[in-house]
Amino acid sequence: MILAHDISGSGPLLVLVHGITEDRRSWDPVDLTASFTVVRVDVRGHGASEAAEPYDIPTLAADVHDTVVRLQEQGLVPDGPPVVVGHSMGGIVATAYGALFPARAIVNVDQPLHLAGMQQQIQQAEAMLRGEQFPLFIHGMFAQMAGGLNAAELDRVNAIRAPKQDVVLGMWRPLLDDSPEDLSALVDRLTAVPSDVPYLVITGLDAGPEYAAWLQDAIPHAVHEVWQPPTHYPHLADPARFVARVEAFAG
């Protein structure tokens, strides 16, 4: 699928992938156009992109890749592997991109990749997710993750948020339906980022005392940074710091 997108800036190609229930406007405060040709995409089922099954992570990564290839074939963006930056669910998509397709660098913003803990939480909420309380669950979940993000910026992101039950259930199907063993095998596949592809994780919320060691085992060359204040949105809490860090890491 060719995703809805916009293009701005100049320099090496960089793709921004938003989080679940959001769209590419969530990146508005983050201006990387001085150093990169920036393509912001709407993941399938989000924003202006088509809603169509399947919603599994490898398919979402392939959508991003297909969009990059199409834009390069049309001469609209520079050739060569892109830097892929993803937030939340987009962090898993970006990681999968690095595992499945050529990439210049990957940046994962506050998305833990050890999904076993998330699987337990999602399965406990399955009745709400599949029922009429779905919107309440989604908005409540993200309210708990806001942390130190200022109120005006949180209001802006919440105004963008458009939860679609079938899309979210499709993306979370492995968490709801897979065995722990099958989910672990999927994570192994999605985190197989080659050692010559720089990989940066910026964590805003505490992922647990064992996560850093797990990440180092899964992606040995990963650079892992924990930013303050605690929030699911470190790139929006301090956009200037985030831009400078991405430029230094992948520029």
Side-chain angles (χ1 to χ4, degrees):
M1 178 184 295
I2 306 304
L3 302 173
H5 60 274
D6 53 43
I7 306 170
S8 56
S10 61
L13 179 60
L14 181 146
V15 182
L16 294 174
V17 187
H18 60 81
I20 197 167
T21 75
E22 300 171 12
D23 63 45
R24 64 187 187 267
R25 295 174 296 167
S26 65
W27 293 102
D28 281 356
V30 177
D31 185 3
L32 286 154
T33 58
S35 299
F36 299 96
T37 300
V38 177
V39 175
R40 309 190 309 177
V41 298
D42 289 341
V43 173
R44 69 166 59 197
H46 294 70
S49 288
E50 181 183 357
E53 289 277 4
Y55 295 107
D56 60 277
I57 297 300
T59 296
L60 301 184
D63 287 344
V64 176
H65 179 66
D66 291 346
T67 303
V68 166
V69 170
R70 174 69 62 85
L71 295 176
Q72 289 177 332
E73 289 175 344
Q74 294 174 336
L76 298 175
V77 300
D79 290 333
V83 178
V84 185
V85 180
H87 168 245
S88 193
M89 172 211 66
I92 299 182
V93 175
T95 304
Y97 192 107
L100 301 173
F101 305 104
R104 175 172 172 162
I106 303 295
V107 180
N108 172 0
V109 185
D110 204 58
Q111 178 55 61
L113 301 172
H114 186 228
L115 299 181
M118 185 176 179
Q119 182 178 48
Q120 295 174 1
Q121 295 172 351
I122 295 301
Q123 288 181 344
Q124 290 172 357
E126 182 172 4
M128 293 183 68
L129 285 168
R130 297 192 186 278
E132 295 180 357
Q133 292 181 303
F134 168 79
L136 292 175
F137 176 85
I138 293 295
H139 289 292
M141 179 184 72
F142 282 109
Q144 292 177 349
M145 300 168 75
L149 188 65
N150 71 71
E153 185 58 17
L154 180 60
D155 288 345
R156 186 190 71 84
V157 174
N158 285 336
I160 293 170
R161 196 175 310 287
K164 299 175 183 177
Q165 191 170 26
D166 59 330
V167 175
V168 172
L169 289 175
M171 291 182 172
W172 285 353
R173 185 167 292 128
L175 298 173
L176 290 166
D177 298 340
D178 282 5
S179 68
E181 294 76 17
D182 288 342
L183 184 64
S184 179
L186 175 63
V187 169
D188 287 346
R189 179 187 176 202
L190 299 182
T191 57
V193 179
S195 59
D196 60 349
V197 177
Y199 188 90
L200 172 65
V201 179
I202 296 174
T203 296
L205 292 177
D206 185 2
E210 300 177 355
Y211 183 66
W214 180 92
L215 177 65
Q216 205 65 44
D217 183 63
I219 308 177
H221 64 290
V223 176
H224 183 202
E225 300 177 359
V226 179
W227 286 19
Q228 299 294 330
T231 175
H232 186 49
Y233 302 91
H235 59 306
L236 301 181
D238 193 342
R241 180 187 181 190
F242 182 77
V243 167
R245 186 67 186 98
V246 173
E247 289 176 339
F249 185 75

